[in-house]
Amino acid sequence: GQQVMQIPQYQHVQEGEDFTTYCNSSTTLSNIQWYKQRPGGHPVFLIQLVKSGEVKKQKRLTFQFGEAKKNSSLHITATQTTDVGTYFCAGPQTGTSYGKLTFGQGTILTVHP
Amino acid sequence: EAQVTQNPRYLITVTGKKLTVTCSQNMNHEYMSWYRQDPGLGLRQIYYSMNVEVTDKGDVPEGYKVSRKEKRNFPLILESPSPNQTSLYFCASSPVFSGVYQPQHFGDGTRLSIL
């Protein structure tokens, strides 16, 4: 079945350092969504990328979708303590039924003040 | 307030005792889905539903049942729970627009412990 691998599993940074998490799929993704889950909370939608090579920015967050639509990344510039949480990517495999989604394992980000 | 409501939030029960986790959304969303979250495994999709009376299996459907008799409700049923179903469960919903994926709205989660 489809596999979506996310690395790293954990990342500890000092406040002000940059952070990147990578999402790699074994097959082409129709699109990719990114979610953030604060400790003890539920996943909250951040963004969706649809086009090959797409890059989107939200303030200090930059999201990229690979040219082959098999990988994606989330980069945070100058992390803050409010960035703490788990970041997930999620996508539907091309050719699967609409609605069937696979999430990556998530990257747990810790920011030390 | 637009929301997805799950009940109960916490449950400790015993092996074999049937249980139902309810999920209700007030946003008139067509799409609803159940996930389980386990450490190191992320979120894994159990079942999803595109609309009333339309349900389909996700990646880990074994041991679970769902139904979608009304648009707003999507209960998750564990007919004979086992300890390996101890997990954190999330329900989510989203609208459906011309086959384009939309952001999912998640409930607050249900933590199940099966002894």
Side-chain angles (χ1 to χ4, degrees):
Chain A
Q2 177 188 12
Q3 287 191 345
V4 176
M5 305 298 292
Q6 223 177 315
I7 55 170
Q9 189 174 357
Y10 302 94
Q11 185 76 59
H12 304 271
V13 300
Q14 288 293 131
E15 190 171 20
E17 291 181 338
D18 291 357
F19 158 76
T20 304
T21 175
Y22 300 91
C23 185
N24 298 294
S25 173
S26 57
T27 58
T28 303
L29 300 169
S30 303
N31 57 71
I32 193 157
Q33 296 180 339
W34 284 92
Y35 290 83
K36 176 184 178 181
Q37 182 180 25
R38 294 183 187 275
H42 58 268
V44 175
F45 175 81
L46 292 176
I47 209 161
Q48 176 165 273
L49 305 172
V50 178
K51 299 176 183 175
S52 170
E54 190 170 13
V55 178
K56 287 188 177 180
K57 294 190 176 184
Q58 288 179 349
K59 298 183 180 177
R60 295 179 294 105
L61 280 60
T62 301
F63 303 84
Q64 294 188 326
F65 200 10
E67 293 291 342
K69 301 183 77 172
K70 294 178 73 173
N71 56 72
S72 181
S73 65
L74 157 59
H75 179 82
I76 302 179
T77 303
T79 54
Q80 300 174 358
T81 54
T82 54
D83 295 325
V84 164
T86 303
Y87 293 84
F88 292 101
C89 61
Q93 179 184 16
T94 303
T96 58
S97 301
Y98 181 93
K100 196 168 189 296
L101 285 173
T102 299
F103 277 73
Q105 302 95 321
T107 295
I108 300 172
L109 174 62
T110 305
V111 180
H112 300 284
Chain B
E1 180 190 352
Q3 59 186 1
V4 177
T5 303
Q6 295 179 227
N7 280 296
R9 292 293 313 281
Y10 306 92
L11 179 63
I12 302 174
T13 187
V14 297
T15 300
K17 186 176 181 183
K18 181 180 178 179
L19 68 91
T20 299
V21 184
T22 64
C23 175
S24 181
Q25 50 94 3
N26 62 1
M27 295 168 280
N28 201 36
H29 287 168
E30 293 83 4
Y31 178 84
M32 298 185 75
S33 183
W34 275 103
Y35 301 90
R36 60 177 290 174
Q37 183 174 17
D38 302 289
L41 297 177
L43 290 155
R44 292 181 291 168
Q45 192 177 42
I46 303 171
Y47 271 95
Y48 62 96
S49 169
M50 293 302 299
N51 215 322
V52 175
E53 302 293 358
V54 181
T55 63
D56 211 341
K57 296 178 181 178
D59 287 325
V60 290
E62 296 78 19
Y64 304 94
K65 285 175 58 177
V66 292
S67 67
R68 188 92 182 270
K69 294 185 172 63
E70 304 165 287
K71 196 172 186 179
R72 64 182 292 127
N73 296 322
F74 190 44
L76 179 69
I77 303 156
L78 285 72
E79 294 268 1
S80 184
S82 63
N84 64 12
Q85 292 177 299
T86 292
S87 187
L88 177 59
Y89 291 85
F90 286 102
C91 179
S93 73
S94 73
V96 176
F97 293 144
S98 303
V100 178
Y101 278 85
Q102 301 298 320
Q104 292 188 83
H105 300 257
F106 282 79
D108 288 335
T110 296
R111 188 166 291 280
L112 284 183
S113 294
I114 316 293
L115 304 177

PDB file of all heavy atoms in Angstrom, chain B residues 65-80:
ATOM      1  N   LYS B  65     -16.349  -0.925  12.899  1.00  0.00           N
ATOM      2  CA  LYS B  65     -17.487  -0.732  12.005  1.00  0.00           C
ATOM      3  C   LYS B  65     -17.895   0.724  12.081  1.00  0.00           C
ATOM      4  O   LYS B  65     -17.670   1.399  13.094  1.00  0.00           O
ATOM      5  CB  LYS B  65     -18.673  -1.613  12.429  1.00  0.00           C
ATOM      6  CG  LYS B  65     -18.533  -3.075  12.091  1.00  0.00           C
ATOM      7  CD  LYS B  65     -19.705  -3.888  12.650  1.00  0.00           C
ATOM      8  CE  LYS B  65     -21.044  -3.399  12.142  1.00  0.00           C
ATOM      9  NZ  LYS B  65     -22.170  -4.231  12.619  1.00  0.00           N
ATOM     10  N   VAL B  66     -18.506   1.185  11.007  1.00  0.00           N
ATOM     11  CA  VAL B  66     -19.043   2.547  10.998  1.00  0.00           C
ATOM     12  C   VAL B  66     -20.399   2.522  10.320  1.00  0.00           C
ATOM     13  O   VAL B  66     -20.772   1.546   9.666  1.00  0.00           O
ATOM     14  CB  VAL B  66     -18.126   3.535  10.242  1.00  0.00           C
ATOM     15  CG1 VAL B  66     -16.816   3.757  10.972  1.00  0.00           C
ATOM     16  CG2 VAL B  66     -17.885   3.072   8.820  1.00  0.00           C
ATOM     17  N   SER B  67     -21.131   3.625  10.489  1.00  0.00           N
ATOM     18  CA  SER B  67     -22.373   3.800   9.756  1.00  0.00           C
ATOM     19  C   SER B  67     -22.556   5.288   9.494  1.00  0.00           C
ATOM     20  O   SER B  67     -22.023   6.132  10.220  1.00  0.00           O
ATOM     21  CB  SER B  67     -23.563   3.241  10.535  1.00  0.00           C
ATOM     22  OG  SER B  67     -23.801   4.007  11.713  1.00  0.00           O
ATOM     23  N   ARG B  68     -23.281   5.593   8.439  1.00  0.00           N
ATOM     24  CA  ARG B  68     -23.559   7.005   8.141  1.00  0.00           C
ATOM     25  C   ARG B  68     -25.034   7.103   7.717  1.00  0.00           C
ATOM     26  O   ARG B  68     -25.369   7.130   6.540  1.00  0.00           O
ATOM     27  CB  ARG B  68     -22.643   7.484   7.012  1.00  0.00           C
ATOM     28  CG  ARG B  68     -22.730   8.986   6.755  1.00  0.00           C
ATOM     29  CD  ARG B  68     -21.736   9.764   7.510  1.00  0.00           C
ATOM     30  NE  ARG B  68     -21.843  11.198   7.306  1.00  0.00           N
ATOM     31  CZ  ARG B  68     -21.197  11.868   6.338  1.00  0.00           C
ATOM     32  NH1 ARG B  68     -20.459  11.222   5.466  1.00  0.00           N
ATOM     33  NH2 ARG B  68     -21.335  13.180   6.260  1.00  0.00           N
ATOM     34  N   LYS B  69     -25.887   7.111   8.701  1.00  0.00           N
ATOM     35  CA  LYS B  69     -27.330   7.183   8.438  1.00  0.00           C
ATOM     36  C   LYS B  69     -27.802   8.620   8.292  1.00  0.00           C
ATOM     37  O   LYS B  69     -28.843   8.888   7.673  1.00  0.00           O
ATOM     38  CB  LYS B  69     -28.091   6.481   9.561  1.00  0.00           C
ATOM     39  CG  LYS B  69     -27.847   4.977   9.628  1.00  0.00           C
ATOM     40  CD  LYS B  69     -28.713   4.318  10.682  1.00  0.00           C
ATOM     41  CE  LYS B  69     -28.616   2.808  10.629  1.00  0.00           C
ATOM     42  NZ  LYS B  69     -27.249   2.316  10.920  1.00  0.00           N
ATOM     43  N   GLU B  70     -27.068   9.525   8.913  1.00  0.00           N
ATOM     44  CA  GLU B  70     -27.384  10.946   8.795  1.00  0.00           C
ATOM     45  C   GLU B  70     -26.105  11.668   8.396  1.00  0.00           C
ATOM     46  O   GLU B  70     -25.007  11.227   8.728  1.00  0.00           O
ATOM     47  CB  GLU B  70     -27.866  11.513  10.124  1.00  0.00           C
ATOM     48  CG  GLU B  70     -29.052  10.814  10.737  1.00  0.00           C
ATOM     49  CD  GLU B  70     -29.216  11.215  12.196  1.00  0.00           C
ATOM     50  OE1 GLU B  70     -28.420  10.771  13.027  1.00  0.00           O
ATOM     51  OE2 GLU B  70     -30.126  12.004  12.498  1.00  0.00           O
ATOM     52  N   LYS B  71     -26.263  12.801   7.765  1.00  0.00           N
ATOM     53  CA  LYS B  71     -25.095  13.523   7.273  1.00  0.00           C
ATOM     54  C   LYS B  71     -24.208  13.997   8.419  1.00  0.00           C
ATOM     55  O   LYS B  71     -22.985  14.015   8.305  1.00  0.00           O
ATOM     56  CB  LYS B  71     -25.552  14.722   6.443  1.00  0.00           C
ATOM     57  CG  LYS B  71     -24.466  15.330   5.573  1.00  0.00           C
ATOM     58  CD  LYS B  71     -25.062  16.382   4.660  1.00  0.00           C
ATOM     59  CE  LYS B  71     -24.028  16.897   3.680  1.00  0.00           C
ATOM     60  NZ  LYS B  71     -24.609  17.906   2.760  1.00  0.00           N
ATOM     61  N   ARG B  72     -24.797  14.374   9.521  1.00  0.00           N
ATOM     62  CA  ARG B  72     -24.013  14.988  10.590  1.00  0.00           C
ATOM     63  C   ARG B  72     -23.309  13.980  11.486  1.00  0.00           C
ATOM     64  O   ARG B  72     -22.375  14.325  12.195  1.00  0.00           O
ATOM     65  CB  ARG B  72     -24.898  15.905  11.425  1.00  0.00           C
ATOM     66  CG  ARG B  72     -26.018  15.203  12.170  1.00  0.00           C
ATOM     67  CD  ARG B  72     -26.875  16.196  12.934  1.00  0.00           C
ATOM     68  NE  ARG B  72     -26.113  16.776  14.032  1.00  0.00           N
ATOM     69  CZ  ARG B  72     -25.993  18.077  14.215  1.00  0.00           C
ATOM     70  NH1 ARG B  72     -26.539  18.941  13.386  1.00  0.00           N
ATOM     71  NH2 ARG B  72     -25.303  18.539  15.246  1.00  0.00           N
ATOM     72  N   ASN B  73     -23.742  12.724  11.487  1.00  0.00           N
ATOM     73  CA  ASN B  73     -23.210  11.750  12.445  1.00  0.00           C
ATOM     74  C   ASN B  73     -22.438  10.615  11.782  1.00  0.00           C
ATOM     75  O   ASN B  73     -22.853  10.102  10.732  1.00  0.00           O
ATOM     76  CB  ASN B  73     -24.349  11.137  13.261  1.00  0.00           C
ATOM     77  CG  ASN B  73     -25.056  12.170  14.114  1.00  0.00           C
ATOM     78  OD1 ASN B  73     -24.416  13.070  14.658  1.00  0.00           O
ATOM     79  ND2 ASN B  73     -26.364  12.052  14.232  1.00  0.00           N
ATOM     80  N   PHE B  74     -21.359  10.208  12.428  1.00  0.00           N
ATOM     81  CA  PHE B  74     -20.522   9.138  11.875  1.00  0.00           C
ATOM     82  C   PHE B  74     -19.932   8.354  13.049  1.00  0.00           C
ATOM     83  O   PHE B  74     -18.761   8.515  13.404  1.00  0.00           O
ATOM     84  CB  PHE B  74     -19.418   9.742  11.005  1.00  0.00           C
ATOM     85  CG  PHE B  74     -18.640   8.754  10.182  1.00  0.00           C
ATOM     86  CD1 PHE B  74     -19.272   7.732   9.491  1.00  0.00           C
ATOM     87  CD2 PHE B  74     -17.251   8.867  10.057  1.00  0.00           C
ATOM     88  CE1 PHE B  74     -18.555   6.841   8.712  1.00  0.00           C
ATOM     89  CE2 PHE B  74     -16.529   7.982   9.281  1.00  0.00           C
ATOM     90  CZ  PHE B  74     -17.180   6.976   8.602  1.00  0.00           C
ATOM     91  N   PRO B  75     -20.715   7.466  13.655  1.00  0.00           N
ATOM     92  CA  PRO B  75     -20.235   6.730  14.829  1.00  0.00           C
ATOM     93  C   PRO B  75     -19.234   5.641  14.465  1.00  0.00           C
ATOM     94  O   PRO B  75     -19.328   5.024  13.392  1.00  0.00           O
ATOM     95  CB  PRO B  75     -21.515   6.130  15.420  1.00  0.00           C
ATOM     96  CG  PRO B  75     -22.447   6.021  14.252  1.00  0.00           C
ATOM     97  CD  PRO B  75     -22.128   7.172  13.349  1.00  0.00           C
ATOM     98  N   LEU B  76     -18.303   5.414  15.377  1.00  0.00           N
ATOM     99  CA  LEU B  76     -17.312   4.336  15.248  1.00  0.00           C
ATOM    100  C   LEU B  76     -17.667   3.258  16.258  1.00  0.00           C
ATOM    101  O   LEU B  76     -17.803   3.542  17.445  1.00  0.00           O
ATOM    102  CB  LEU B  76     -15.907   4.875  15.532  1.00  0.00           C
ATOM    103  CG  LEU B  76     -14.768   3.873  15.450  1.00  0.00           C
ATOM    104  CD1 LEU B  76     -14.543   3.429  14.012  1.00  0.00           C
ATOM    105  CD2 LEU B  76     -13.484   4.461  16.037  1.00  0.00           C
ATOM    106  N   ILE B  77     -17.836   2.028  15.768  1.00  0.00           N
ATOM    107  CA  ILE B  77     -18.282   0.926  16.614  1.00  0.00           C
ATOM    108  C   ILE B  77     -17.182  -0.108  16.743  1.00  0.00           C
ATOM    109  O   ILE B  77     -16.606  -0.546  15.741  1.00  0.00           O
ATOM    110  CB  ILE B  77     -19.545   0.273  16.007  1.00  0.00           C
ATOM    111  CG1 ILE B  77     -20.648   1.323  15.835  1.00  0.00           C
ATOM    112  CG2 ILE B  77     -20.026  -0.885  16.888  1.00  0.00           C
ATOM    113  CD1 ILE B  77     -21.667   0.983  14.784  1.00  0.00           C
ATOM    114  N   LEU B  78     -16.891  -0.487  17.974  1.00  0.00           N
ATOM    115  CA  LEU B  78     -15.984  -1.589  18.251  1.00  0.00           C
ATOM    116  C   LEU B  78     -16.825  -2.718  18.826  1.00  0.00           C
ATOM    117  O   LEU B  78     -17.247  -2.658  19.978  1.00  0.00           O
ATOM    118  CB  LEU B  78     -14.890  -1.174  19.230  1.00  0.00           C
ATOM    119  CG  LEU B  78     -13.766  -0.272  18.681  1.00  0.00           C
ATOM    120  CD1 LEU B  78     -14.256   1.137  18.416  1.00  0.00           C
ATOM    121  CD2 LEU B  78     -12.576  -0.259  19.627  1.00  0.00           C
ATOM    122  N   GLU B  79     -17.113  -3.723  18.008  1.00  0.00           N
ATOM    123  CA  GLU B  79     -18.026  -4.785  18.412  1.00  0.00           C
ATOM    124  C   GLU B  79     -17.427  -5.634  19.532  1.00  0.00           C
ATOM    125  O   GLU B  79     -18.116  -6.006  20.481  1.00  0.00           O
ATOM    126  CB  GLU B  79     -18.338  -5.700  17.217  1.00  0.00           C
ATOM    127  CG  GLU B  79     -19.117  -5.023  16.098  1.00  0.00           C
ATOM    128  CD  GLU B  79     -20.631  -5.193  16.262  1.00  0.00           C
ATOM    129  OE1 GLU B  79     -21.055  -5.827  17.250  1.00  0.00           O
ATOM    130  OE2 GLU B  79     -21.377  -4.702  15.411  1.00  0.00           O
ATOM    131  N   SER B  80     -16.170  -5.955  19.442  1.00  0.00           N
ATOM    132  CA  SER B  80     -15.500  -6.765  20.453  1.00  0.00           C
ATOM    133  C   SER B  80     -14.095  -6.201  20.661  1.00  0.00           C
ATOM    134  O   SER B  80     -13.119  -6.724  20.117  1.00  0.00           O
ATOM    135  CB  SER B  80     -15.444  -8.228  20.014  1.00  0.00           C
ATOM    136  OG  SER B  80     -14.873  -9.030  21.024  1.00  0.00           O
TER     137      SER B  80
END
